[in-house]
Amino acid sequence: MTAREIPYKIYLDESEIPTAWYNVRADMKNKPAPLLNPGTHQPMTAQELSAVFCEDLVAQELDNDTRLFPIPQEIQDFYRMYRPSPLVRAYCLEKKLQTPAHIYYKFEGNNTSGSHKLNSAIAQAYYAKKQGLKGVTTETGAGQWGTALSMACAYLGLDCKVFMVKVSYEQKPFRREVMRTYGASVTPSPSETTQVGRKILAEHPGTTGSLGCAISEAVEVAVGTPGYRYVLGSVLNQVLLHQSVIGVEAKTALDKYGVKPDVIIGCAGGGSNLGGLISPFMGEKLRGEADYRIVAVEPASCPSLTRGVYAYDFCDTGMVCPLAKMYTLGSDFIPAPNHAGGLRYHGMSPILSQLYDDGLMEAVSVPQTRVFEAAELFARTEGILPAPESSHAICAAIDEALKCKESGEEKTILFGLTGTGYFDMVAYEKFHDGRMDDYVPTDEELAQFRARLPKID
Amino acid sequence: MTAREIPYKIYLDESEIPTAWYNVRADMKNKPAPLLNPGTHQPMTAQELSAVFCEDLVAQELDNDTRLFPIPQEIQDFYRMYRPSPLVRAYCLEKKLQTPAHIYYKFEGNNTSGSHKLNSAIAQAYYAKKQGLKGVTTETGAGQWGTALSMACAYLGLDCKVFMVKVSYEQKPFRREVMRTYGASVTPSPSETTQVGRKILAEHPGTTGSLGCAISEAVEVAVGTPGYRYVLGSVLNQVLLHQSVIGVEAKTALDKYGVKPDVIIGCAGGGSNLGGLISPFMGEKLRGEADYRIVAVEPASCPSLTRGVYAYDFCDTGMVCPLAKMYTLGSDFIPAPNHAGGLRYHGMSPILSQLYDDGLMEAVSVPQTRVFEAAELFARTEGILPAPESSHAICAAIDEALKCKESGEEKTILFGLTGTGYFDMVAYEKFHDGRMDDYVPTDEELAQFRARLPKID
C-alpha cells in the first residue's frame, strides 16, 4: 500500500475504460490447440467456422498473434452504460476476518444481466449486426448469459433466440421473464423444435436438459436459419478476448495506487471470467515482467481442471460443434442434481487449459456448502449478495486471507466477483434450510465419462 | 450544458460523499404539522415518542430548525460500501426519444437491497445500536425496506424482526430469503403473534394483509419487548432527513458540470425518495435562490396527493401510532389487488404534504400499464431493469421529454431512479401476458374511506 489512501471503491474515469481488448494468446509460447472438424479431425478453417459464427468473431477466434484488438466505438459506447466497474477494497471483510491481507475484488455485477457476461454479449451482438444478420441463437444455463445477450440484442435491434436448460427454465421463471422484457424468445431445452432435441427427448424421456444439449439445439437453429449465427458466452478464445476488459480495467485501477497483487483468484466454469480477469497479469508473467500466483476455483461437483483430463472432446451433447482440446470431464458429464450454483460445463477454455497444463496457474475445488457459507459471510460484511458462481472465488479468497492471518503475511489478494445472486434464492433457501449436500463424483463415475472421450491422434 | 463534456455516469469521489444530512424543514416557512397523540390529540412529546422510536431519531423527528445534521462516522463508512451512487446522463434514452431535452437520473439501485431505502436503514440501525438496544422491528410491503434494514442490522450485529405483508410474503419468497441471508426473522402479517394481528384476523379471516396492519404489529412488538424499538422506512421526517443524501449528492454532481435542472421528478409512495432527492433544490427554492419545477408521481390506483385530502389521519390500521397530518386516502384504504408496483401507502410524508399544500410542488398520477411500458422502454435503452416504483418517475420523465420534442425546448430533466426490479418479475410477467389492468378507485369509493377519517379540531 502506498501513502495515498485507498478508497473503498476505485472507479476509473470513463476516459480510462479500455479502448482495446488484450489477446493473451499473443504472449503464450504454447498456443491453445486449434478447434478440430468433428468429421475429419483436421483444424477448422475460417470458412468452416463461418457457417456457425460471425466472420469477425471467427477472425478473433483464430488469431493467436495480434496482441491488441481495438474495441469498436459502438461497443465502447455500450460499455459506458455500465462500465467502468468498481474495483473494491474489501475493508469490511478484512476487518471481519482480522487478516493482515489486503483484499480487492473486481465487481462485475452492477448491471441488469447481473454478471460479467455482458462484456462479450455486446461484442458478439455488435459483430452479428455489422455482418447484416437478422439474429443470433444461444443457450443459457443459470440464465446470466441469456440475459446479457438479450440486453445486447435489444440495444442493437437484433433478434435473439435462447435455448434455456429445462430445469433452469422451470426453476427460474424470473430469469426467463427478464429475457422476455428484453424481447428475446426463450425455449426450454431439450425441445421438440429441433432434430437434436427430438433425438435427445426420445433417448432420455423426461430429461431436464443440460448445457451441452442446449448448445446443440442452438447451433442447429443457427446453421439452419438464413441470417442467423450462433454465439457462445464462455470457453471460446474470442470470449476470453472480450472479457480481457475486466482484467485491463482492474490492472489500471491497481496501478493507479501502486498496488501489485500477490494472488489472483477467479471462479472457473467455462473460464470466461477468470480468463478475462487474469489476462494482463498473465501477459506480464508470460513475458517475464512480473510474477503472480493465479488460482482457478471450481466446484467439487464439476471439477474439470482438478480431476479432468487434457484431451480433445466434444463441446456439446449432440456432437455438432467442433472438437476442442481442453481439460474435460467428458461431454456427457452432468453435475449431480443437487449442485446449486452455475459452473456446470464439462470442459474448460482451451486457453486456460493450456496455461494450466504449462504450470502457469493453479486450480482448487471447493464443496458447495462452504461456498454458500462464504457467500453469506460476504453478503453480511460487504453488503453484496453474490452469485453462487462468484462465491467460489470468495471462498478461496477467504481461505488465502486466513492463511495470511496465521502466518502474519500482508499479502494482496485480488479476486473476481462476477455477479449477483438475486435469481439464485432457491439455492440460498436450500442452504438456509440445511437441504444442501456436497455430493462429489467418485473416481469410478468420472472414469466412465472419460472412457467415452473421442479418440484423436 | 457547459463546454466540458458530460460523461454517461457522473461518479463523485468518496471524499465528496455528503458528511451532513440537510433538513429541509429548517427552510420551510410553514412547518409540517406535528404528530399527535392518538388519545389526547395533543402534540407527541419526545418522551412519548421514545417509547416507540430511538432517542436520537426522536430528536431528528421533532427538530424543525437545525439545517445540517452531521452524519456519524460509522454511517459514513457504511455509505462508502455503496455510495456515491451514479448520476447518469440518459444519452441512450434521449436518442431513442429523439428529444432535445437532457435527461439525468440519480440511480440508487446498485446495492443488494436494490433501492434507496438503505440510506435510512443504516442510520436508524446505527442509532438503535448507539442506544444499546438489542434489536428493531419493522414492516415491509414489497420488501425493499425490510431487505435494507436486514443488511444494516447484519452489519451492526442487531436483531431484526420484520413483519411482511402476507401477500408479498407469499408472492415474493425470494425477498424473504434475502432477508434470511442477512439473519432477519420474517413473519407474514397479519400474524397470530400479536394482539392486533389476531384481532384483524378475527375480523377479516383470510385477509392478505396491508402495510397499515403490518405497522401495527411491528409497533406492538417493539413497545412490548425490552430492548427493542420500531423503525419505519418512509413518511417520517427523520427518513426524509437521511434520504437528503440522495439530493445533496445529485446536486453536487450537477454543480460540477454547471448543470441546473428545470424539472425534478420523483415517484412518491410515502415520500422518502422524492423528499430526499428534492431537498437541496427545494431549499434553494424556499430561500428564493433558484426556482425548479418539482413533480411527484404516484400510481393512479393509490393517489394520495392527487385525490386525497390534507388532514390528520392514522398511520396504521391498528391505530396504535401517532396521528399525522398528511395528504391521505384514509388509513384503511388498500389499492386494488391488481395493483402491481409498490407505492401503496395510504398517506404521504407530512413534509411533502405541507410543501404540496403550499403550492411548492406539483403531483401527477399515472396508470400502471403506462408505467410498465415506460419500464420496458427504459430497460431496453438504458440497460437497467427498473423497479415498478421507480418506473412511475420514468414514465413522467418520458412525458416531459416528449413535450420538449414537440416544443423544441432543450430542458434539463432530473429524476430519481430509486431501485431495480429483480424481485418484481411477477408483475412484469403480468404485463407481458396482458393480464394487467388499470383499475382506478371511483370517487364514491374514495369518499367512503374519507368518511372514516378521525375528527381533529
Side-chain angles (χ1 to χ4, degrees):
Chain A
M1 192 156 77
T2 62
R4 185 171 169 194
E5 205 191 333
I6 293 173
Y8 279 62
K9 296 190 297 304
I10 306 176
Y11 274 111
L12 299 177
D13 283 339
E14 254 166 45
S15 59
E16 296 169 301
I17 298 178
T19 54
W21 293 303
Y22 164 63
N23 181 11
V24 74
R25 284 168 287 165
D27 286 310
M28 289 170 71
K29 225 179 289 176
N30 301 323
K31 307 291 182 190
L35 298 172
L36 299 187
N37 182 308
T40 65
H41 293 185
Q42 292 304 302
M44 291 286 286
T45 63
Q47 203 189 348
E48 287 172 324
L49 284 169
S50 296
V52 180
F53 299 113
C54 307
E55 286 156 19
D56 286 319
L57 293 168
V58 168
Q60 293 178 358
E61 189 64 29
L62 297 176
D63 191 331
N64 286 338
D65 304 306
T66 304
R67 181 171 276 112
L68 294 174
F69 283 83
I71 303 176
Q73 188 58 48
E74 269 187 84
I75 301 177
Q76 286 193 42
D77 288 345
F78 188 87
Y79 278 172
R80 288 204 173 82
M81 282 169 59
Y82 70 100
R83 306 201 69 83
S85 73
L87 179 75
V88 186
R89 172 76 186 267
Y91 283 117
C92 299
L93 182 62
E94 291 171 17
K95 195 174 154 194
K96 180 78 179 178
L97 299 174
Q98 296 184 286
T99 175
H102 297 179
I103 309 175
Y104 294 83
Y105 54 92
K106 181 70 170 164
F107 180 39
E108 292 288 320
N110 267 354
N111 70 71
T112 283
S113 79
S115 83
H116 67 293
K117 297 279 183 181
L118 201 51
N119 300 326
S120 185
I122 183 61
Q124 298 193 46
Y126 167 80
Y127 290 114
K129 181 82 179 178
K130 185 176 164 224
Q131 197 176 321
L133 298 178
K134 187 159 171 265
V136 291
T137 73
T138 199
E139 79 297 328
T140 199
Q144 291 181 333
W145 167 246
T147 311
L149 189 67
S150 305
M151 288 176 66
C153 287
Y155 180 79
L156 294 170
L158 272 179
D159 186 38
C160 179
K161 296 183 195 300
V162 180
F163 287 87
M164 187 169 186
V165 177
K166 193 179 278 174
V167 60
S168 295
Y169 182 90
E170 283 162 2
Q171 286 183 1
K172 297 196 180 189
F174 296 167
R175 268 281 180 210
R176 184 190 69 206
E177 217 50 51
V178 179
M179 290 184 253
R180 279 178 83 195
T181 301
Y182 286 94
S185 77
V186 188
T187 307
S189 166
S191 76
E192 295 283 353
T193 67
T194 65
Q195 274 191 317
V196 65
R198 287 189 293 271
K199 183 161 173 276
I200 291 168
L201 282 172
E203 286 168 10
H204 307 279
T207 176
T208 54
S210 72
L211 265 182
C213 162
I215 294 175
S216 300
E217 292 202 83
V219 171
E220 183 184 318
V221 172
V223 172
T225 315
Y228 281 75
R229 291 295 184 281
Y230 167 71
V231 296
L232 179 67
S234 192
V235 182
L236 296 175
N237 298 340
Q238 58 187 269
V239 178
L240 268 71
L241 175 68
H242 306 147
Q243 295 295 0
S244 69
V245 71
I246 304 173
V248 175
E249 260 188 29
K251 189 160 188 318
T252 305
L254 287 172
D255 284 350
K256 260 191 152 169
Y257 287 85
V259 175
K260 223 176 101 50
D262 297 294
V263 195
I264 304 168
I265 297 170
C267 61
S272 70
N273 161 68
L274 180 67
L277 175 67
I278 66 173
S279 57
F281 302 98
M282 183 59 87
E284 287 190 328
K285 189 165 171 166
L286 288 162
R287 297 190 301 270
E289 296 164 9
D291 198 17
Y292 304 97
R293 269 187 65 211
I294 293 174
V295 183
V297 193
E298 55 185 18
S301 50
C302 191
S304 55
L305 282 176
T306 49
R307 297 178 67 199
V309 290
Y310 190 33
Y312 267 105
D313 194 7
F314 296 102
C315 291
D316 64 325
T317 310
M319 305 178 182
V320 299
C321 292
L323 297 165
K325 188 172 181 193
M326 54 187 178
Y327 274 83
T328 180
L329 297 163
S331 67
D332 49 1
F333 176 84
I334 298 177
N338 200 26
H339 173 65
L343 311 177
R344 47 175 69 243
Y345 190 63
H346 65 275
M348 181 58 66
S349 136
I351 292 176
L352 293 184
S353 293
Q354 185 63 48
L355 291 169
Y356 180 61
D357 206 56
D358 287 341
L360 290 157
M361 50 181 263
E362 310 163 25
V364 295
S365 75
V366 282
Q368 65 176 351
T369 304
R370 286 200 50 227
V371 167
F372 277 81
E373 282 164 4
E376 190 164 274
L377 176 70
F378 186 82
R380 290 186 185 187
T381 48
E382 287 289 315
I384 296 171
L385 185 82
E389 292 87 341
S390 326
S391 305
H392 288 75
I394 297 173
C395 185
I398 289 176
D399 285 348
E400 285 292 334
L402 291 176
K403 271 188 236 162
C404 289
K405 185 179 176 177
E406 244 173 70
S407 66
E409 285 175 290
E410 208 179 88
K411 281 191 187 165
T412 296
I413 301 167
L414 166 66
F415 73 90
L417 188 72
T418 56
T420 49
Y422 303 122
F423 293 101
D424 298 288
M425 296 321 293
V426 169
Y428 273 92
E429 190 175 22
K430 259 191 186 176
F431 170 67
H432 294 146
D433 293 346
R435 288 185 287 110
M436 185 163 268
D437 74 35
D438 286 330
Y439 183 80
V440 169
T442 64
D443 288 340
E444 291 68 32
E445 284 172 303
L446 291 184
Q448 282 175 22
F449 293 108
R450 205 179 293 143
R452 293 198 287 275
L453 283 172
K455 306 283 174 271
I456 312 283
D457 306 323
Chain B
M1 193 154 83
T2 62
R4 184 169 170 196
E5 206 191 332
I6 293 172
Y8 279 61
K9 295 190 297 305
I10 306 176
Y11 275 110
L12 298 178
D13 284 338
E14 253 166 43
S15 60
E16 296 169 301
I17 298 179
T19 54
W21 292 304
Y22 165 63
N23 181 11
V24 74
R25 284 167 286 165
D27 286 311
M28 289 170 71
K29 227 180 286 177
N30 300 324
K31 307 293 181 189
L35 298 172
L36 298 186
N37 182 308
T40 65
H41 293 185
Q42 293 302 304
M44 291 287 286
T45 63
Q47 203 190 347
E48 287 172 325
L49 284 169
S50 296
V52 181
F53 299 113
C54 305
E55 286 156 19
D56 285 320
L57 294 168
V58 168
Q60 293 178 358
E61 188 65 28
L62 296 176
D63 191 332
N64 286 338
D65 305 306
T66 304
R67 182 171 276 113
L68 294 174
F69 284 83
I71 303 176
Q73 189 59 47
E74 270 187 82
I75 301 178
Q76 286 193 41
D77 288 346
F78 188 87
Y79 278 171
R80 288 203 173 83
M81 283 169 57
Y82 69 101
R83 305 202 69 82
S85 72
L87 179 76
V88 186
R89 173 74 187 267
Y91 283 118
C92 299
L93 182 63
E94 291 171 18
K95 195 174 155 195
K96 179 78 178 178
L97 299 175
Q98 297 183 285
T99 175
H102 297 178
I103 309 175
Y104 293 83
Y105 55 91
K106 180 70 171 165
F107 179 39
E108 292 288 320
N110 266 354
N111 70 71
T112 283
S113 79
S115 83
H116 67 292
K117 297 279 183 180
L118 200 51
N119 300 327
S120 185
I122 183 60
Q124 297 194 47
Y126 166 80
Y127 289 114
K129 179 84 178 176
K130 187 178 162 220
Q131 195 175 324
L133 297 179
K134 188 160 170 264
V136 292
T137 72
T138 198
E139 80 296 327
T140 199
Q144 290 181 333
W145 167 247
T147 311
L149 189 66
S150 306
M151 288 178 67
C153 286
Y155 180 80
L156 294 170
L158 271 180
D159 186 38
C160 179
K161 297 183 194 299
V162 180
F163 287 86
M164 188 171 186
V165 177
K166 192 179 279 173
V167 60
S168 295
Y169 182 90
E170 284 161 1
Q171 287 182 359
K172 298 196 179 188
F174 295 168
R175 268 279 179 208
R176 182 190 70 205
E177 218 49 53
V178 179
M179 290 184 253
R180 278 178 83 194
T181 301
Y182 285 95
S185 77
V186 188
T187 307
S189 167
S191 75
E192 295 284 353
T193 67
T194 65
Q195 273 191 315
V196 65
R198 289 189 292 272
K199 182 161 174 276
I200 290 168
L201 283 171
E203 284 168 11
H204 307 279
T207 176
T208 54
S210 72
L211 265 181
C213 163
I215 293 175
S216 300
E217 291 202 83
V219 171
E220 183 184 318
V221 171
V223 172
T225 315
Y228 281 75
R229 289 294 183 282
Y230 167 71
V231 296
L232 179 66
S234 192
V235 182
L236 297 174
N237 298 340
Q238 56 187 272
V239 178
L240 269 71
L241 175 68
H242 306 148
Q243 295 294 0
S244 69
V245 71
I246 305 172
V248 175
E249 259 188 31
K251 190 161 188 317
T252 304
L254 287 172
D255 284 350
K256 260 190 152 168
Y257 288 84
V259 176
K260 223 177 100 52
D262 297 295
V263 195
I264 304 168
I265 297 170
C267 61
S272 71
N273 162 67
L274 181 67
L277 174 68
I278 66 174
S279 56
F281 303 98
M282 183 60 85
E284 287 190 329
K285 190 166 171 167
L286 288 162
R287 296 191 301 271
E289 296 164 10
D291 198 17
Y292 303 97
R293 268 186 67 211
I294 292 174
V295 184
V297 192
E298 55 185 16
S301 50
C302 191
S304 56
L305 282 175
T306 49
R307 296 178 69 198
V309 289
Y310 190 33
Y312 268 104
D313 194 7
F314 297 102
C315 290
D316 64 324
T317 310
M319 304 178 182
V320 299
C321 291
L323 297 165
K325 189 172 180 192
M326 52 189 180
Y327 274 84
T328 179
L329 297 163
S331 65
D332 49 0
F333 176 85
I334 299 177
N338 200 27
H339 173 66
L343 310 177
R344 48 177 66 244
Y345 190 63
H346 65 275
M348 180 58 65
S349 136
I351 291 176
L352 293 184
S353 293
Q354 185 62 49
L355 291 168
Y356 180 61
D357 205 57
D358 288 341
L360 290 156
M361 50 182 264
E362 310 163 26
V364 296
S365 75
V366 282
Q368 66 176 350
T369 305
R370 286 200 51 227
V371 167
F372 277 81
E373 283 164 4
E376 191 164 274
L377 176 70
F378 186 82
R380 291 185 185 187
T381 48
E382 287 289 315
I384 296 171
L385 185 83
E389 292 86 342
S390 325
S391 305
H392 288 75
I394 297 172
C395 185
I398 289 175
D399 285 348
E400 286 292 334
L402 292 176
K403 270 188 238 163
C404 289
K405 186 180 177 177
E406 243 172 72
S407 66
E409 285 175 289
E410 208 179 90
K411 281 190 187 167
T412 297
I413 300 167
L414 166 66
F415 73 90
L417 188 72
T418 56
T420 50
Y422 303 121
F423 294 100
D424 298 287
M425 296 320 294
V426 169
Y428 273 92
E429 191 175 23
K430 258 191 185 174
F431 170 67
H432 293 145
D433 294 346
R435 290 185 286 110
M436 187 162 268
D437 74 33
D438 285 330
Y439 184 80
V440 169
T442 63
D443 288 339
E444 291 68 33
E445 284 173 302
L446 291 183
Q448 282 174 21
F449 293 108
R450 206 179 293 143
R452 295 197 285 275
L453 283 172
K455 306 283 175 273
I456 312 284
D457 306 324

